[in-house]
Structures are given as C-alpha cells and as structure tokens.
C-alpha cells in the first residue's frame, strides 16, 4: 500500500474539514497530509491507522518508507543543483561586470 492509498483509506471519501474538526486537528494539517505535502506526526498517524483499520506497526513502516523515499528524491534534486551552482555564480559575476561596464560607458 502506498502513502496516498493509506490516507485515502483513512479519509474514506469524507471531507477533510469535517474530519479535522471531529479528530481535533487543524484542517490545514489534514489537508497537507491528504495532498501529500507533509507526513503526519505520531499521534495523528495512530489516529489515521485506526480510521484506516490498519495495524499501527504497519502504518509506521509505511510512513518510514515514504519518508525515506522523499529524502531520496530530495537528494536527486539537490545533486544537479549543486553542480549548477558554481556555473550560475560565474554567470552572475560576468553579468555584474558587464553591467558595470555599461554604466561606465553610459556616463
């Protein structure tokens, strides 16, 4: 089961707003969980596990896998950016030098 499937199972077609009120958690938090923007904290994960009819250990393993997947994905994004950063910095220095030349000529 994926994280998205787990959240859908816990929400079970109900509105995020009504569930957040019933569960006593901020609506924005539950909305972020359902949109996949953030992962729930431990106490909310327990509540979601109960609502989804799943074992707590199974849910924590699922959340750990999702967290690891997200960290791995972040790493894939950071590596190319780190390679581009020196080139981008050099480009900015060249642009700045050109701009200073243009300003001198314009005076």
């Amino acid at each position: 089961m994926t994280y998205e499937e787990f959240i859908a199972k816990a929400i079970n077609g109900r509105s995020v707003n009504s569930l957040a009120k019933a569960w006593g958690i901020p609506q924005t938090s539950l909305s972020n969980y359902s949109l996949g923007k953030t992962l729930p904290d431990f106490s909310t994960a327990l509540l979601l596990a109960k609502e989804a009819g799943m074992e707590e250990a199974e849910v924590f393993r699922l959340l750990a896998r999702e967290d690891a997947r997200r960290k791995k994905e972040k790493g894939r994004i950071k590596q190319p950016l780190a390679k581009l950063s020196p080139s981008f910095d050099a480009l900015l220095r060249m642009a700045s030098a050109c701009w200073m030349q243009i300003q001198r000529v314009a005076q």
Side-chain angles (χ1 to χ4, degrees):
M1 175 178 291
T2 66
Y3 172 74
E4 291 80 11
E5 292 168 336
F6 160 64
I7 293 297
K9 188 174 181 179
I11 292 176
N12 195 26
R14 299 171 285 183
S15 84
V16 168
N17 191 35
S18 65
L19 285 177
K21 286 179 184 176
W23 294 345
I25 61 174
Q27 184 270 334
T28 53
S29 295
L30 187 55
S31 180
N32 286 337
Y33 306 149
S34 69
L35 295 172
K37 291 182 179 180
T38 58
L39 296 177
D41 57 27
F42 291 117
S43 59
T44 306
L46 288 173
L47 177 64
L48 291 168
K50 181 181 174 189
E51 288 294 320
M54 296 173 65
E55 293 290 325
E56 295 166 358
E58 182 184 359
V59 169
F60 287 127
R61 280 192 298 275
L62 184 145
L63 292 175
R65 282 192 309 271
E66 180 64 18
D67 185 52
R69 185 193 67 76
R70 290 177 183 206
K71 286 178 181 173
K72 186 177 179 182
E73 188 64 31
K74 260 188 188 175
R76 281 193 209 135
I77 293 169
K78 285 183 180 181
Q79 287 174 344
L81 290 178
K83 290 179 184 176
L84 289 175
S85 185
S87 300
F88 186 71
D89 289 344
L91 180 63
L92 286 177
R93 285 192 301 277
M94 288 180 4
S96 179
C98 288
W99 180 249
M100 289 181 358
Q101 280 293 95
I102 291 169
Q103 287 179 327
R104 278 190 221 130
V105 171
Q107 289 178 353

